[in-house]
Amino acid sequence: MPLIDAELGPRPGPPGLPIAAVLTCLLLSINHTGKATLIEAWRIAAFCLTAAARHRLGLPDINPEDIHQVLASSRRFYRAFDRLTTVLDPARHDRRARLPQHQADALAAAWEDDDPAHSHKRELLQDIVTALVLTPVRWAKGRGYLRHFRGDVG
């Protein structure tokens, strides 16, 4: 986590949720549900952790019966993950938009250049993504859920 904290550095505005808490809840989600989804991770963070665990991770307490606190909590959780991907993305843009070819080529070039700062960000982001993708597969394989699967598990 020190590498991620160093990359995020001081940012303007309120501190928000700690990135380490979001990633920890993602790993807990993988362990408990077999899924690496933000919604499952947020549910664990908001409703399943003990008060001591929430305090240790830096997560604020919320009243589950107050819909405004619940919505604010989920938005903070998603924004924290978005902060991480924003900082580590060498060419941030709206991934849902269809781009003209010249803009797509410029963004692809930013991902493929040799700039040391971009290379470091790409490697760190790739490590996080690889862990989030491979952990549920290793977990399922270790428990024997994939023993009848005839394809390549990788």
Side-chain angles (χ1 to χ4, degrees), residues 6-46:
E7 284 295 325
L8 290 173
R11 307 212 12 112
L17 293 181
I19 299 297
V22 174
L23 293 176
T24 301
C25 290
L26 273 168
L27 291 174
L28 286 170
S29 170
I30 291 169
N31 187 45
H32 290 286
T33 67
K35 299 182 226 174
T37 60
L38 284 177
I39 188 65
E40 292 298 329
W42 170 74
R43 285 180 184 144
I44 288 172

Side-chain angles (χ1 to χ4, degrees), residues 23-76:
L23 293 176
T24 301
C25 290
L26 273 168
L27 291 174
L28 286 170
S29 170
I30 291 169
N31 187 45
H32 290 286
T33 67
K35 299 182 226 174
T37 60
L38 284 177
I39 188 65
E40 292 298 329
W42 170 74
R43 285 180 184 144
I44 288 172
F47 305 117
C48 299
L49 295 178
T50 64
R54 292 176 60 74
H55 179 70
R56 191 173 302 125
L57 290 173
L59 298 170
D61 291 327
I62 62 167
N63 178 2
E65 296 175 6
D66 184 351
I67 191 68
H68 299 293
Q69 282 186 12
V70 171
L71 288 173
S73 169
S74 104
R75 287 184 182 138
R76 279 193 300 271

Side-chain angles (χ1 to χ4, degrees), residues 82 86 89 91-100 103-104 107:
D82 189 53
T86 298
D89 191 344
R92 185 74 172 161
H93 71 285
D94 184 4
R95 303 266 184 231
R96 296 169 292 184
R98 184 165 177 90
L99 300 174
Q103 288 179 358
L107 290 170

